[in-house]
Amino acid sequence: MPISSELSIKQDFPQLEQQKQALFRHWKNSGLISSDSLLEAFLAVPRELFVAPDFVEHSYADRPLPIDSGQTISQPTTVMLMLQLLEVLPGQRVLEIGSGSGYNAALLAKLAMLTGTVVTLERHMELVEQARENLKLAGLQNVVVIAGDGKQGHARLAPYDRIIVTAAASQVPQDLKEQLAVGGLLVAPVGATYGCEMLKLCKTSADHFQISSHGLFSFVPLV
Ligand code: SAH
């Protein structure tokens, strides 16, 4: 994948900034996204660095876009709604399953700030490398991209204050539940690719979770 710098993209696609602002105003004015830290993170991360070169002009269209290995970078509104549910605070340790382009990890890194850490797992090596490269170009240092099966989580750095799964599973993997800290939150789409239910789990004790449901979405499968 050819690498473009943020500056050259800005010169080639001057309309992107306006489109980004329009999306921001839509979320803010409708009240759909009420977290100021999340809105700030959105403004701070150039999504155009994370989309495939052929789709740069659509960086701020509110729809998913194809990335390599037959995967997708999720629709911006979906990304924001999930992150709003996740309530990431500065200094927290966050685990993401499904790095894809690295875009969601970049937003997580902004929310966790430099005092926090984001660990993100991806099964396609091609995407692991792209996510690393994209995050580097975006200047984000507090993210570790690891190749592996996200269903097993990453026990070495557990427990995590927050866990987010960005692919649809038939159920929340047991290892992820175990690696979540007591008091921690986990957000995951559960069910079929088209029409999975967005679940939020709050771990209230070592083996008890409070579960709430937050609408239907579409996601590539967690395999
Ligand atoms: N969060 C990404 C989009 C994720 S798409 C972004 O911001 O761009 C879902 C990703 O989950 C895909 O990249 C897919 O390869 C990955 N995935 C699916 N099953 C997985 C598994 N078992 N372990 C790790 N990654 C997985």
Side-chain angles (χ1 to χ4, degrees), residues 50 67-69 71-74 79 96-105 120-124 127 148-152 166-167 219-223:
F50 294 84
I67 54 175
D68 282 344
S69 304
Q71 304 301 313
T72 55
I73 171 171
S74 304
V79 172
E96 179 194 37
I97 309 305
S99 319
S101 66
Y103 178 66
N104 190 53
T120 179
L121 298 180
E122 172 56 53
R123 63 186 281 271
H124 288 290
L127 293 176
D149 177 8
K151 294 192 292 300
Q152 294 170 17
T166 65
F219 273 86
V220 297
L222 185 76
V223 293

Side-chain angles (χ1 to χ4, degrees), residues 49-112:
L49 291 183
F50 294 84
V51 305
D54 287 349
F55 290 90
V56 168
E57 66 180 305
H58 304 295
S59 295
Y60 296 99
D62 200 12
R63 62 180 170 95
L65 296 173
I67 54 175
D68 282 344
S69 304
Q71 304 301 313
T72 55
I73 171 171
S74 304
Q75 177 178 355
T77 293
T78 301
V79 172
M80 294 293 276
L81 288 171
M82 286 180 80
L83 291 176
Q84 183 156 263
L85 289 172
L86 197 65
E87 300 174 44
V88 176
L89 298 171
Q92 287 188 327
R93 183 172 295 210
V94 184
L95 176 67
E96 179 194 37
I97 309 305
S99 319
S101 66
Y103 178 66
N104 190 53
L107 293 172
L108 288 168
K110 287 284 179 196
L111 293 166

Side-chain angles (χ1 to χ4, degrees), residues 87-210:
E87 300 174 44
V88 176
L89 298 171
Q92 287 188 327
R93 183 172 295 210
V94 184
L95 176 67
E96 179 194 37
I97 309 305
S99 319
S101 66
Y103 178 66
N104 190 53
L107 293 172
L108 288 168
K110 287 284 179 196
L111 293 166
M113 306 234 176
L114 280 177
T115 50
T117 306
V118 177
V119 178
T120 179
L121 298 180
E122 172 56 53
R123 63 186 281 271
H124 288 290
M125 200 55 213
E126 176 183 39
L127 293 176
V128 168
E129 281 161 10
Q130 284 178 17
R132 282 183 185 145
E133 194 59 47
N134 294 342
L135 287 158
K136 198 166 127 196
L137 276 175
L140 292 158
Q141 282 150 6
N142 54 332
V143 186
V144 193
V145 186
I146 298 172
D149 177 8
K151 294 192 292 300
Q152 294 170 17
H154 190 66
R156 205 167 62 76
L157 295 172
Y160 300 94
D161 303 301
R162 299 289 185 264
I163 299 181
I164 182 167
V165 184
T166 65
S170 55
Q171 54 185 11
V172 178
Q174 185 58 28
D175 283 336
L176 300 185
K177 287 170 141 182
E178 281 168 17
Q179 290 171 26
L180 184 64
V182 172
L185 298 173
L186 181 154
V187 172
V190 172
T193 293
Y194 297 102
C196 46
E197 198 178 350
M198 193 59 69
L199 296 185
K200 174 172 173 170
L201 278 67
C202 174
K203 188 165 179 173
T204 51
S205 70
D207 53 9
H208 193 263
F209 294 83
Q210 236 169 32

